[in-house]
Amino acid sequence: MTIHFSCTMCGRCCHGLRLPIGVDEAMAWLRDGGNVQLFCEAIPWPEEPPADNHLAWYKRRRSFAATSGQLPVRVIVSLMAVFEGACPNLQPDMRCGIYERRPRACRVYPAEVNPFFALDRDTKLCPPEAWQTQDVLQGEDGEWKDAEVAQSIAGMREADARDAAVKAELCAVLGISSSGLSNEGVVVHAPDRARLLSALEEATTAGGDVAMTAWHVVSHRRATLELLQSAGTSPLPASALQGTEASFMGFVAGDAD
Ligand code: SF4
Ligand code: SF4
C-alpha cells in the first residue's frame, strides 16, 4: 500500500519523548544540556542464527556479545534522549531550534527504522490531515520515497551497527551490567549528564576492543526468572534495582515484584 504523508508541523512528536539517538548525537545532546538514558535488553544467543534468519542478523548487527552465567547473550543498548513535555529545542512556533542538526530519529518520524516493522498510522501522533496529501512517504514496493527519510533511516541503521562496540565499552566504563530480557522489558540506566558524557568520550576513543562482560538479566515475571535460572544464568528480580540509579520498564504484565 502506498503511504502518503506530509508533516503539518503540529509539534506533537516533539513532546514527552524517548528519542533513540546514536553515540555522536548523544554527545551533542548532552553538551547542549539534555538528558540521555541507556535502555538495555539482552537476547539469549546460544548459537549464531542461520544466514536466512534476517531478523536475527538485524539484531546481531546492533548488539554486542556478552554472557549471563553460562548463557551467551547479545545485548542491545539504546541511547535515548528523554524529556517530559516539550523538547528543549522546540520553539514557540513549533519549529525545531536545531533543525539543521536535529537527530536522525527526528528526520525519520513517522517512518520506521526497523525493516521488520510496518508503518501503522494508528500508532503515530500525526493528525489525520498529515496523511491526506499527494506526497508519497512509502511506495507499494515498501521503499521510502522521501529522500531525507530514506537517507536518515540508512544513517540510523549504520550508526546502530557502528555504535555497538562503543556501547559495550561505554557500559564497561560506567559499570553497567544489567538488562531486561528482549521483548519483555528493559533496564533503564540514568547516569548523571557529566558522568555519561565523560564515559562516552572515553568509550569513543578506547579502540572498541572491550573484553566480554558478565551481565545480569532482570525480570519482573516469576516464570521468566525460573526459565533464566534453569538456562544457567543468574537473573535478578526487578525489585533488586530499587535504590540504584537503574529502573525496570516492563512491556508485559509482571508478577514478581
Ligand atoms: S530535536 Fe527538534 S525535531 Fe527533534 S524532538 Fe526536539 S524539537 Fe522536535
Ligand atoms: S506529529 Fe507528524 S505531523 Fe506533527 S510535527 Fe510530528 S511528524 Fe509532523
Side-chain angles (χ1 to χ4, degrees):
M1 183 181 72
T2 300
I3 295 180
H4 297 265
F5 174 76
S6 181
C7 178
T8 64
M9 290 187 57
C10 69
R12 288 181 197 166
C13 64
C14 301
H15 285 77
L17 271 192
R18 298 185 187 104
L19 195 62
I21 53 180
V23 164
D24 54 342
E25 295 171 330
M27 291 198 287
W29 196 270
L30 290 164
R31 286 181 184 128
D32 284 347
N35 292 320
V36 176
Q37 298 177 344
L38 294 81
F39 284 30
C40 301
E41 57 188 298
I43 312 168
W45 208 266
E47 57 189 22
E48 294 289 25
D52 62 354
N53 188 341
H54 302 297
L55 175 58
W57 283 96
Y58 174 71
K59 292 176 179 175
R60 191 188 191 287
R61 273 192 292 278
R62 55 196 302 263
S63 61
F64 56 85
T67 58
S68 183
Q70 308 296 314
L71 185 69
V73 296
R74 294 205 60 100
V75 179
I76 296 176
V77 174
S78 302
L79 295 170
M80 297 287 193
V82 291
F83 47 88
E84 301 290 334
C87 172
N89 299 306
L90 189 63
Q91 306 295 295
D93 63 357
M94 296 297 133
R95 291 178 185 275
C96 175
I98 56 165
Y99 187 78
E100 295 303 326
R101 59 184 184 90
R102 68 197 189 287
R104 289 177 283 269
C106 302
R107 300 164 195 261
V108 164
Y109 196 86
E112 295 289 353
V113 176
N114 187 326
F116 300 94
F117 282 179
L119 193 164
D120 179 356
R121 283 175 290 195
D122 292 341
T123 66
K124 302 296 178 179
L125 298 166
C126 310
E129 57 271 28
W131 310 101
Q132 294 156 5
T133 168
Q134 291 307 306
D135 297 349
V136 175
L137 176 61
Q138 189 174 35
E140 289 275 1
D141 56 5
E143 296 293 323
W144 302 106
K145 301 302 182 187
D146 180 295
E148 185 178 35
V149 168
Q151 190 180 12
S152 300
I153 287 174
M156 284 186 79
R157 291 178 187 163
E158 281 165 22
D160 270 353
R162 184 179 64 236
D163 289 348
V166 176
K167 290 173 178 174
E169 189 81 40
L170 175 66
C171 290
V173 171
L174 290 168
I176 287 175
S177 60
S178 59
S179 72
L181 183 65
S182 192
N183 296 325
E184 184 183 283
V186 293
V187 172
V188 179
H189 295 271
D192 74 50
R193 186 182 303 133
R195 182 163 162 252
L196 179 53
L197 180 56
S198 162
L200 277 163
E201 287 167 345
E202 185 176 338
T204 50
T205 54
D209 214 11
V210 66
M212 202 185 298
T213 49
W215 280 64
H216 290 287
V217 180
V218 178
S219 177
H220 63 330
R221 296 181 68 232
R222 272 188 233 118
T224 302
L225 290 166
E226 286 168 14
L227 194 66
L228 288 167
Q229 191 89 48
S230 67
T233 77
S234 43
L236 290 175
S239 56
L241 299 178
Q242 280 169 11
T244 74
E245 69 170 10
S247 57
F248 184 80
M249 182 189 294
F251 304 143
V252 295
D255 58 7
D257 283 336

